[in-house]
Amino acid sequence: MDIQKAKQTIEAGKAILGIEFGSTRIKAVLIDENHKPIAQGDHEWENQLVDGLWTYSIDDIWKGLQDCYADLRKSVQNQYSCEIEELAGIGFSAMMHGYMAFNEQQQILVPFRTWRNTNTGKAAAELSKLFNYNIPLRWSISHLYQCILDNEEHVKDIKYLTTLAGYIHWQVTGQFVLGVGDASGMIPVNPQTKSYDAEMVKKFDNLVAPKGYSWKLLDILPKSLSAGEDAGVLTAEGAKKIDVSGHLKAGIPVCPPEGDAGTGMVATNAVKVRTGNVSAGTSSFSMIVLEKPLSKPYEMIDMVTTPDGSLVAMVHCNNCTSELNTWVKMFCDYEQLIGKVQEKHMVYRVLYTHALLGDPDCGGLVTYNYVSGEPVTGLAEGRPMIVRSPDDNFTLANFMRAELYSSIVVLKIGNDILLKEEKIKVDRITGHGGLFKTKGVGQRFLAAALNTPISVMETAGEGGAWGIALLAAFQVRNPQKLNLEDYLEQVVFAGNKGTSMDPIAEDVVGFEKYTENYKRCLPIEQSAVDNK
């Protein structure tokens, strides 16, 4: 990195900022005119289980944003001895879906209900039947209708309903809008109009009409915007909400807020038809951009859109690396006990790499990483567990391999529908997120799971904060008015498709056997839920 050039970019107000609210970390990435990260900041946080529902408090949201930005400022000061005052653009992204309902005074009516909650089964089932379209448990419309079914008092007072990304954007710009990708996780979006499906909106309004609410659905939803559309500028009040030091100036363009699925597609150059990506972190999801709609609705497949409105088949899994991280922490604790402490990233590398020595089928071991419920496999709650027979080959290598398989096996179950039943054609799938930071491990196992080549870029660990920064750049640095697909292909990635890894035949066979064992033992997991 050219330190002097990066400093000049920041001081000239030409840097672009992307901030993403992930499940366990809020991350800020500052990029230069070549779309390269030049500074980062972060803030770790955790959701709370309150009255049986997963949530983050409003105070934690703003304190987290402010601490993340303060960490970015500190990084800039340490590296470049300068201050962030002006920026060329800003973008906000966050975990998709969930439920944030506000009254006319913009006060939240009930605690934020995140994507992780699985209490919306009745609502999702009824809406899926009504719309003839798969409506997942975590979508905003499922949460809203479940509140109606449960006769929650606050529903009559709703004036605004949005997602976390939409909420942040609204509060710092005054614009009640949402990127089309995130909007498609509230209620289905029509790819032709790039807005909420009019027929489904009408059906919902008719469904709840007997309740006599003063609002109709479109009255309370944010306006849907495609990537590149005007979404407002940072207000003076908004600048203070981000930067408590008061240095950040108002008037900066802010791109349409997006969900983490959309930013994952952008960060992996996967918004083109027949491309896909897999994001693997606290949760995991795959996105494949379709040539045409699926033949029928599937409960395991969500239909969303790219940030510019193209139809996407999404497999979303509530659980991915959380349980794996817990085991790594335990090994770190063991190192503390014996006085052989290594940096945590080294522990990850050693354990992940050791998993490559395990049997292709993990020696018969099966692990369930269900910290929370998992809708794809029909579990309303989760119980992390290891299942093995006395004569299974229980070694550290097989255990770590089983934990890594467990992080992506549910993703495989969903994608088998797309790749084997629907015969979807995919030219390129790119992996990103924490699972891929250890070179050649997560990538190899995902290639085996999907039986398809997997690419990983050098930016695999940058994730959604970089992705939303790229969307902000697309809005303000696109003089040729390229579409998003061409902008990413020609300007940002310039033909770089990353490092590809083909599936290894014995891994494919081993993963299939592991998957069979996994499915067969699911009643054990259900029993654990039922009896504890």
Side-chain angles (χ1 to χ4, degrees):
M1 184 193 301
D2 187 326
I3 300 295
Q4 190 58 39
K5 188 174 180 181
K7 180 177 181 178
Q8 290 172 354
T9 296
I10 296 168
E11 290 182 328
K14 294 181 179 179
I16 287 177
L17 173 63
I19 297 179
E20 181 160 277
F21 289 72
S23 301
T24 59
R25 187 167 64 138
I26 304 171
K27 184 176 180 180
V29 172
L30 203 63
I31 64 172
D32 63 14
E33 292 128 306
N34 296 315
H35 308 97
K36 303 297 184 185
I38 53 177
Q40 298 184 12
D42 69 2
H43 169 84
E44 292 187 0
W45 68 341
E46 283 288 348
N47 52 191
Q48 304 296 319
L49 190 62
V50 179
D51 296 328
L53 295 171
W54 293 104
T55 187
Y56 300 86
S57 73
I58 293 293
D59 283 347
D60 284 347
I61 290 169
W62 291 109
K63 286 176 183 176
L65 173 60
Q66 291 161 4
D67 185 63
C68 176
Y69 186 81
D71 192 51
L72 175 72
R73 282 186 63 233
K74 184 178 178 181
S75 173
V76 167
Q77 290 164 352
N78 289 342
Q79 291 184 82
Y80 310 114
S81 302
C82 64
E83 182 62 70
I84 305 170
E85 294 192 354
E86 294 187 4
L87 295 164
I90 302 177
F92 295 99
S93 173
M95 55 192 103
M96 290 177 71
H97 323 298
Y99 184 77
M100 297 191 82
F102 300 84
N103 63 17
E104 194 163 1
Q105 291 72 42
Q106 300 185 19
Q107 298 166 325
I108 196 161
L109 293 167
V110 291
F112 169 33
R113 298 174 183 179
T114 78
W115 57 269
R116 194 169 221 169
N117 291 294
T118 54
N119 64 307
T120 56
K122 182 174 174 58
E126 290 189 13
L127 291 175
S128 296
K129 184 176 180 181
L130 177 69
F131 297 156
N132 191 31
Y133 200 98
N134 180 43
I135 304 298
L137 302 179
R138 66 187 181 281
W139 279 17
S140 304
I141 197 69
S142 295
H143 283 279
L144 174 61
Y145 188 47
Q146 191 65 52
C147 291
I148 292 170
L149 291 176
D150 294 341
N151 293 309
E152 294 197 33
E153 183 66 21
H154 76 273
V155 176
K156 62 178 174 46
D157 298 320
I158 296 176
K159 179 68 174 178
Y160 307 97
L161 179 64
T162 190
T163 66
L164 179 55
Y167 168 65
I168 298 294
H169 183 97
W170 174 35
Q171 294 301 299
V172 301
T173 66
Q175 301 299 308
F176 192 61
V177 298
L178 199 57
V180 63
D182 206 3
S184 68
M186 297 195 78
I187 187 172
V189 160
N190 184 324
Q192 277 69 51
T193 65
K194 317 293 186 187
S195 191
Y196 306 107
D197 187 285
E199 188 62 30
M200 295 186 197
V201 168
K202 183 179 178 181
K203 286 182 177 180
F204 183 84
D205 283 337
N206 290 338
L207 177 67
V208 303
K211 293 287 186 179
Y213 298 127
S214 61
W215 51 263
K216 288 184 181 276
L217 190 56
L218 291 184
D219 297 334
I220 62 175
L221 294 181
K223 181 182 179 182
S224 173
L225 297 177
S226 291
E229 289 194 79
D230 181 13
V233 299
L234 188 67
T235 63
E237 182 183 6
K240 291 176 183 176
K241 281 178 173 286
I242 300 168
D243 180 13
V244 295
S245 74
H247 286 90
L248 188 62
K249 294 182 179 178
I252 301 166
V254 186
C255 71
E258 264 299 347
D260 50 4
T263 56
M265 285 186 275
V266 171
T268 54
N269 190 20
V271 301
K272 185 179 181 180
V273 168
R274 290 178 58 142
T275 64
N277 79 92
V278 169
S279 173
T282 304
S283 63
S284 69
F285 51 81
S286 64
M287 316 284 291
I288 295 178
V289 188
L290 301 179
E291 296 179 275
K292 60 182 181 180
L294 300 180
S295 64
K296 62 181 180 180
Y298 292 92
E299 191 174 348
M300 294 180 185
I301 311 295
D302 307 346
M303 303 307 297
V304 293
T305 76
T306 62
D308 58 350
S310 296
L311 194 62
V312 175
M314 177 183 190
V315 177
H316 184 282
C317 310
N318 277 6
N319 301 280
C320 186
T321 60
S322 291
E323 178 67 1
L324 188 53
N325 294 341
T326 300
W327 280 102
V328 172
K329 180 181 181 301
M330 190 178 74
F331 284 109
C332 290
D333 291 344
Y334 172 72
E335 288 190 336
Q336 291 274 0
L337 287 175
I338 63 173
K340 299 284 186 180
V341 179
Q342 297 187 73
E343 292 186 25
K344 186 181 285 188
H345 73 90
M346 284 299 298
V347 181
Y348 273 100
R349 183 183 301 173
V350 167
L351 291 172
Y352 276 39
T353 303
H354 189 59
L356 295 174
L357 302 178
D359 299 325
D361 66 348
C362 306
L365 275 64
V366 174
T367 63
Y368 293 93
N369 63 340
Y370 295 175
V371 176
S372 66
E374 188 54 76
V376 173
T377 48
L379 274 295
E381 296 179 39
R383 299 290 185 270
M385 62 192 302
I386 306 165
V387 179
R388 69 184 183 95
S389 300
D391 57 349
D392 285 341
N393 189 15
F394 190 27
T395 64
L396 178 60
N398 278 335
F399 170 72
M400 286 306 303
R401 191 167 182 134
E403 283 291 334
L404 283 158
Y405 276 19
S406 179
S407 297
I408 52 178
V409 66
V410 179
L411 198 69
K412 170 183 169 53
I413 292 169
N415 274 278
D416 279 350
I417 294 173
L418 295 173
L419 302 176
K420 294 179 180 180
E421 295 183 32
E422 288 281 335
K423 309 295 185 185
I424 296 299
K425 302 298 183 185
V426 186
D427 297 327
R428 183 179 74 246
I429 294 179
T430 306
H432 75 116
L435 187 70
F436 303 102
K437 283 186 177 181
T438 299
K439 189 174 181 179
V441 180
Q443 182 180 11
R444 172 173 160 178
F445 292 159
L446 183 63
L450 302 185
N451 194 18
T452 191
I454 301 296
S455 296
V456 173
M457 298 180 181
E458 289 182 8
T459 52
E462 299 296 346
W466 184 57
I468 192 65
L470 295 181
L471 284 172
F474 172 68
Q475 179 166 320
V476 300
R477 287 191 184 144
N478 187 16
Q480 295 176 286
K481 301 299 181 185
L482 298 172
N483 61 32
L484 181 60
E485 172 190 321
D486 290 339
Y487 183 82
L488 294 175
E489 187 71 31
Q490 299 172 23
V491 180
V492 177
F493 293 94
N496 176 23
K497 292 179 171 58
T499 303
S500 181
M501 180 178 288
D502 291 328
I504 297 171
E506 64 178 14
D507 286 350
V508 174
V509 173
F511 211 119
E512 287 291 347
K513 187 173 180 181
Y514 178 87
T515 305
E516 291 170 11
N517 292 337
Y518 188 93
K519 290 178 178 178
R520 190 174 64 252
C521 294
L522 275 169
I524 302 173
E525 173 72 18
Q526 184 64 62
S527 180
V529 171
D530 294 340
N531 292 285
K532 185 179 178 183

